[in-house]
Amino acid sequence: MRGFLVSSIGVTCAAALALPLTPPAVATTARPVPTTEAATAARPAPHAGTPDATMAGRRAAEPYAPGSTQSLPLEPLTRNRATPTAPDAHEQGVTRRPVRHFSLLGIVWDDPEAELHGRVQVRTRAAGTGTWSGWQDVETHNADHAADRGSPESTSGRVRGATAPLWVGDSDGVELRVRSQPEKAEAASAHHGTGTRNLAAAPPLPYGLRLELVDPGDDAPPPGTSADGPRTADLAETSAAAAAAAAASAAAAAAAEASAVNADLAPLDATEIPALNGAQTEQEFLALNAEELTEQQQARPYVGPRPRIVTRRGWGANEGLRERGFRYTKKVKTAFVHHTASGNKYRCSQVPSLIRSIYRYHVKSMGWRDIGYNFVIDKCGKIYEGRAGGVARPVLGAHTLGFNSNSMGIAVLGSYGVKKPSSAAVKAIARLTAWKLGLYGMNPRGKTYLKSAGSNLHGKGKKVRLNVISGHRDGFRTSCPGRKLYGKLGSARSTAARYQGR
């Protein structure tokens, strides 16, 4: 179908952005110096309690900054008992220290095929109060959220292994410990305090472990503020300013590109795509796709009312981070529902910052071409555009390893293994799927077949029968989207079908 349904034919991707890689970590006794992208303004770490330690004070005192990532190599925390002079590869971490401001963290390593079998715990210091949090667990199993094996994205040479990200809010101090554990002890430790520490039987930790501290930056330059800060006539600063101007120009072009693909639904540079009622949605759908529809589809299209969607511009995406161009699949036959496993300690007003942090973590830390999910939903029920390419189009994501083709990924922000998702979030899943799946003629209560590209649950090439609205665990052996959210998918299917008029 023309308009909404655009295939990848004729779409040419621009050259990939060169993403800087941190060299493999080498254990030393000296404390590592945090690294960031060279073009990003450094954010100082004032002592907690001073005026500039608050977010408001920091923004008032500093020039606009588009975000940054500090990368800290992990160091051994213990010595091997058999050889006291050798570092123990089963326990690494980052000793307590002050750092520049950040709001989200995660751990990455060199080999994306390697797994981290163990427990990752972190403590952080709140920037506004100087209070240290208790130890928090970081979800270690995250490889199932990825581009399909053998795809251009997975073979780019930039991809790294990683934990799920954890949102901690504005912080300026951190302490981390990573302990290798056998899988049984690892599972037990998630529920019983510190768990079993049988280090002799534990596998070694992945090589090149690094702690990534992500500052989402501000969503837009404050009025009348220069993004570059004060300048001098120094040649080096002139060169840096020219490089910054070139980067800004490229980002502006990428932003225009990301906005243009939604031009049928909203004006250019719109911060949101407005909601439509059922009649308006049907009229728009028929106008854009009339030549491609059968008489039966024209008589009864079964498309749910279009929900309000915050665009990438609306949540402040820095389009200069992602790889230019878009990649599409043929259609959308299945919606896979995920949770981000990033914790539930966020306010809905913080969601744009949280999404910018996940976006930066996916691209700069994990080496993906863009954020992996096609859509993001918060606990207040607001829907956000995810991977660039057009909200109505079949954008190829990196969300369900083995089943990214002919599907879309919807991530609900939070962790839902024990906590119930909000009714607003479940309703948003139903509203979004009723509309988007309806564009492709899919019944939310129905079943469909997808061909596996290879997962730990379904072999490559196998045709798998799935619910049109499925949980991540239906395509991959994983706990995602959490037991509590998975249990709500039946309700989402029924509600979505009702929105479609079925």
Side-chain angles (χ1 to χ4, degrees):
M1 291 187 286
R2 192 174 62 239
F4 282 140
L5 314 186
V6 179
S7 72
S8 58
I9 299 173
V11 177
T12 304
C13 294
L17 292 173
L19 300 180
L21 295 178
T22 304
V26 178
T28 63
T29 55
R31 191 170 74 189
V33 177
T35 60
T36 63
E37 292 81 8
T40 302
R43 291 179 179 269
H47 296 293
T50 63
D52 286 347
T54 65
M55 179 67 79
R58 181 158 60 88
R59 287 180 172 174
E62 299 176 11
Y64 161 71
S68 63
T69 301
Q70 301 170 70
S71 187
L72 308 179
L74 271 60
E75 299 174 337
L77 295 180
T78 62
R79 295 286 171 178
N80 191 308
R81 293 178 182 177
T83 53
T85 58
D88 193 332
H90 295 283
E91 195 165 1
Q92 298 182 34
V94 171
T95 55
R96 184 185 295 199
R97 67 189 63 184
V99 292
R100 291 192 300 278
H101 286 257
F102 70 98
S103 296
L104 178 139
L105 59 86
I107 292 83
V108 300
W109 53 91
D110 295 344
D111 182 3
E113 296 298 322
E115 292 189 40
L116 196 166
H117 292 293
R119 192 175 190 188
V120 176
Q121 293 182 297
V122 67
R123 300 180 64 201
T124 56
R125 185 175 68 184
T129 65
T131 303
W132 282 89
S133 71
W135 287 104
Q136 299 183 74
D137 285 296
V138 178
E139 173 60 54
T140 58
H141 297 299
N142 194 49
D144 46 331
H145 300 76
D148 293 337
R149 291 189 177 96
S151 66
E153 185 167 4
S154 71
T155 57
S156 66
R158 299 190 301 269
V159 179
R160 288 155 242 168
T163 67
L166 178 68
W167 175 261
V168 294
D170 191 27
S171 304
D172 62 4
V174 70
E175 182 179 4
L176 173 76
R177 61 190 185 198
V178 179
R179 292 170 177 167
S180 177
Q181 295 175 335
E183 289 192 60
K184 289 184 180 179
E186 176 186 348
S189 70
H191 302 284
H192 303 292
T194 58
T196 305
R197 288 185 58 199
N198 183 10
L199 298 183
L205 293 169
Y207 183 74
L209 287 167
R210 297 182 293 284
L211 171 62
E212 303 284 289
L213 305 176
V214 180
D215 177 359
D218 300 322
D219 55 1
T225 301
S226 168
D228 299 321
R231 298 183 181 179
T232 69
D234 182 86
L235 179 61
E237 291 202 6
T238 301
S239 299
S249 176
E257 173 188 63
S259 181
V261 287
N262 287 320
D264 286 337
L265 311 180
L268 289 175
D269 297 329
T271 57
E272 68 173 55
I273 295 167
L276 299 179
N277 62 32
Q280 291 170 326
T281 301
E282 186 173 312
Q283 183 180 11
E284 178 184 71
F285 175 70
L286 293 175
L288 291 170
N289 301 285
E291 296 180 9
E292 308 292 333
L293 301 176
T294 64
E295 289 184 10
Q296 184 178 1
Q297 287 174 316
Q298 291 185 36
R300 198 67 184 270
Y302 292 114
V303 179
R306 188 180 76 197
R308 174 177 176 262
I309 302 171
V310 177
T311 65
R312 290 171 64 91
R313 183 176 180 84
W315 53 261
N318 177 356
E319 299 294 353
L321 292 182
R322 66 173 174 85
E323 185 178 302
R324 289 290 298 275
F326 312 115
R327 291 181 183 154
Y328 297 98
T329 184
K330 292 180 180 179
K331 57 179 67 175
V332 179
K333 298 171 65 179
T334 304
F336 284 103
V337 177
H338 304 256
H339 68 170
T340 57
S342 52
N344 302 307
K345 297 178 181 178
Y346 69 89
R347 299 187 303 275
C348 290
S349 61
Q350 296 176 313
V351 168
S353 293
L354 175 49
I355 298 176
R356 289 198 303 276
S357 297
I358 293 174
Y359 169 45
R360 176 172 281 274
Y361 184 67
H362 282 183
V363 175
K364 287 294 187 182
S365 300
M366 297 178 66
W368 294 359
R369 71 187 311 271
D370 195 350
I371 190 172
Y373 308 112
N374 298 102
F375 295 93
V376 178
I377 292 173
D378 68 24
K379 59 188 175 185
C380 291
K382 189 175 287 188
I383 302 168
Y384 300 81
E385 178 182 15
R387 181 164 286 207
V391 296
R393 302 185 181 189
V395 178
L396 180 65
H399 48 82
T400 307
L401 181 63
F403 292 95
N404 289 302
S405 293
N406 296 329
S407 72
M408 68 175 182
I410 301 170
V412 181
L413 293 170
S415 304
Y416 298 102
V418 225
K419 184 177 176 60
K420 290 182 180 179
S422 67
S423 57
V426 176
K427 183 178 179 181
I429 293 172
R431 295 185 65 209
L432 175 59
T433 53
W435 173 70
K436 183 66 181 276
L437 291 171
L439 300 179
Y440 295 85
M442 302 305 296
N443 182 347
R445 278 198 305 244
K447 305 275 188 180
T448 191
Y449 284 90
L450 291 182
K451 181 185 286 188
S452 172
S455 77
N456 64 1
L457 195 58
H458 303 289
K460 184 176 181 179
K462 180 181 178 181
K463 288 186 177 180
V464 182
R465 189 167 185 257
L466 295 161
N467 287 308
V468 169
I469 298 178
S470 284
H472 186 182
R473 64 175 63 182
D474 295 319
F476 197 99
R477 189 175 292 109
T478 174
S479 62
C480 183
R483 182 171 59 89
K484 295 294 187 179
L485 178 54
Y486 188 78
K488 293 292 184 180
L489 296 188
S491 172
R493 294 182 192 109
S494 299
T495 305
R498 188 172 72 251
Y499 286 148
Q500 285 188 350
R502 296 183 187 271

